[in-house]
Amino acid sequence: MTFCKHITFFFQCKTDLSMGSPGYGQVGSTSHSPLYVSHAHTDTKRAWQDEVEDVKPLHSLLGPSELSWPGVHLPYCERLVTEDNPWLLRVAEAAPSLLPSRPTEQSPAIHSQAHSTPQELEGQVEERCLEQVQSMVVGEVLKDIDTACKLLNITPDPMDWSCVHVQKWLLWTEHLYRLPQVCKMFLELTGRDLCSLTEEDFRQRSLQCGDILYAHLDIWRSAAGMKERCPVGDGKSVVDDPWSDVVSSYPSQPIHLWQFLRELLLKPHNYSRCIRWLNKEKGIFKIEDSAHVARLWGIRKNRPAMNYDKLSRSIRQYYKKGIIRKPDASRRLVYQFVNPV
DNA sequence: GAGCAGGACCTAA
DNA sequence: TTAGGTCCTGCTC
């Protein structure tokens, strides 16, 4: 149940970021829930949340009330499912019944159970929806952990992490979720040490985001536990991207810059604000936030002094090798993989 | 000023 | 040997 709770939280983090919330700059916890995150609202988001508060939700997507995620109540799915929110877009694709259905669009499941009372039917449909969404969310979380492992060159199980791995993970989590700097609060700790800390210990080390870090770590631990129980294949969802094979071969090998860039491009819900496809078929991409991409590369390579100047020099080395080229000299920060597939 | 191109040199694997 | 990090100059936008 804790896993579900933290996954709900994780999902919320991701969605906040994909919705453009400044979010974690102003993270705070409250006494009523360790997972509560207070946001510095933009006007739009404030207005949106006000609307949410006005209408009592029928039910939450992810479970009982204590697990509810304030941003994902059924009446609001339609407005959440936008290109800015690819997670929900995928949820909606996989579980279209979650969207408010019109009277003429009843699902076959409902027709097939004509003998049930309306209340029973509603309960059954809701249960199926919840199962679908929960399995999707868990799948997404596992995929993200897998990606982070590849990018950071760390194992999925925090218990196996060295001090360096812990620092990498902290830097990564800080960066990905816009958390304040906390690395110094966890110096000289191995993964095992980190896992032995309680939530209270985390809070003591970082008042601002100790609980959030604890939640993320708990997700990783739980995911590692799940992988142990269901090893190889099952549980590992197939990434529907033709390049996933290319990058899946190096969990413990040195990663090339071009591979790293592709990894980022393959995770648009995490990184589209720093790097994104302009034309995926042709392999043309644009670096939207050069400093951010350089910093991510620096974290991955343990090069704190990495910057875009150096990163771009490395990209240019690929010109001669025929790996990357410049599709249009006048378009800044735009590059192209010579062999997209 | 930021991005880009490319030379030169260095280090780690 | 290779990949890439670092520093540099000079150019364009």
Side-chain angles (χ1 to χ4, degrees):
Chain A
M1 191 55 84
T2 312
F3 185 43
C4 284
K5 186 175 70 171
H6 286 169
I7 278 189
T8 311
F9 154 81
F10 188 76
F11 195 37
Q12 179 180 0
C13 296
K14 293 174 73 72
T15 310
D16 271 347
L17 290 171
S18 28
M19 290 171 77
S21 161
Y24 287 122
Q26 289 75 26
V27 168
S29 61
T30 68
S31 56
H32 62 272
S33 166
L35 301 176
Y36 180 82
V37 178
S38 66
H39 306 278
H41 307 105
T42 58
D43 289 341
T44 312
K45 185 163 184 185
R46 178 71 258 175
W48 176 80
Q49 285 193 331
D50 286 346
E51 281 187 55
V52 171
E53 283 158 13
D54 286 344
V55 182
K56 296 289 177 231
L58 294 175
H59 28 234
S60 76
L61 276 179
L62 298 176
S65 57
E66 76 272 15
L67 301 181
S68 71
W69 174 35
V72 195
H73 298 312
L74 289 179
Y76 293 90
C77 277
E78 247 173 2
R79 78 178 67 177
L80 283 172
V81 178
T82 67
E83 286 192 359
D84 291 338
N85 204 338
W87 266 51
L88 281 179
L89 199 60
R90 272 183 280 168
V91 168
E93 282 166 4
S97 54
L98 284 168
L99 295 177
S101 59
R102 291 169 182 80
T104 54
E105 295 172 346
Q106 274 191 322
S107 71
I110 292 177
H111 289 302
S112 69
Q113 299 179 34
H115 300 301
S116 305
T117 66
Q119 289 81 6
E120 284 170 343
L121 282 176
E122 191 183 329
Q124 288 160 2
V125 171
E126 186 182 337
E127 206 167 299
R128 279 195 199 130
C129 291
L130 290 175
E131 281 170 13
Q132 277 181 295
V133 172
Q134 278 185 345
S135 70
M136 271 209 73
V137 172
V138 169
E140 286 296 324
V141 169
L142 291 177
K143 271 198 280 181
D144 280 350
I145 288 177
D146 201 43
T147 305
C149 288
K150 287 173 187 165
L151 293 176
L152 299 176
N153 202 17
I154 61 179
T155 63
D157 189 351
M159 292 291 278
D160 298 333
W161 293 348
S162 66
C163 299
V164 175
H165 293 159
V166 168
Q167 289 300 308
K168 271 187 177 181
W169 177 79
L170 287 168
L171 260 175
W172 187 263
T173 309
E174 272 175 21
H175 207 65
L176 198 57
Y177 298 104
R178 316 281 198 277
L179 302 178
Q181 282 204 331
V182 291
C183 290
K184 289 175 189 165
M185 309 297 173
F186 296 89
L187 283 175
E188 314 259 319
L189 287 180
T190 63
R192 192 169 289 275
D193 298 334
L194 200 66
C195 291
S196 69
L197 298 180
T198 64
E199 190 168 1
E200 192 50 41
D201 294 331
F202 270 76
R203 278 210 204 89
Q204 279 174 4
R205 285 168 192 259
S206 172
L207 256 180
Q208 267 189 302
C209 63
D211 50 350
I212 293 172
L213 277 174
Y214 180 81
H216 279 292
L217 181 68
D218 201 44
I219 288 167
W220 278 67
R221 279 191 300 188
S222 304
M226 285 172 69
K227 281 192 173 178
E228 248 172 47
R229 285 191 295 277
C230 332
V232 195
D234 48 333
K236 177 167 172 54
S237 49
V238 178
V239 182
D240 52 356
D241 191 291
W243 287 353
S244 59
D245 292 343
V246 178
V247 295
S248 63
S249 57
Y250 56 86
S252 58
Q253 293 168 8
I255 187 174
H256 293 286
L257 175 58
W258 65 269
Q259 290 176 312
F260 182 80
L261 294 174
R262 276 190 181 174
E263 271 285 314
L264 298 184
L265 286 161
L266 288 177
K267 291 286 166 183
H269 60 283
N270 279 345
Y271 306 110
S272 63
R273 276 184 294 164
C274 61
I275 184 169
R276 66 182 175 89
W277 292 114
L278 291 184
N279 185 328
K280 190 173 178 181
E281 286 68 39
K282 292 182 179 172
I284 300 172
F285 62 95
K286 180 170 188 191
I287 295 173
E288 296 286 357
D289 185 340
S290 55
H292 192 148
V293 172
R295 189 165 170 215
L296 293 175
W297 178 235
I299 292 170
R300 172 62 180 82
K301 295 282 285 186
N302 264 337
R303 290 280 175 176
M306 180 53 62
N307 57 28
Y308 182 70
D309 189 38
K310 295 169 188 171
L311 184 146
S312 64
R313 182 71 192 94
S314 294
I315 290 179
R316 290 195 296 275
Q317 305 277 25
Y318 289 144
Y319 294 173
K320 278 186 196 168
K321 297 172 188 167
I323 296 171
I324 287 177
R325 69 187 186 90
K326 197 83 180 143
D328 181 352
S330 65
R331 297 179 77 185
R332 294 183 160 211
L333 299 170
V334 174
Y335 299 92
Q336 178 178 19
F337 287 105
V338 174
N339 297 307
V341 182

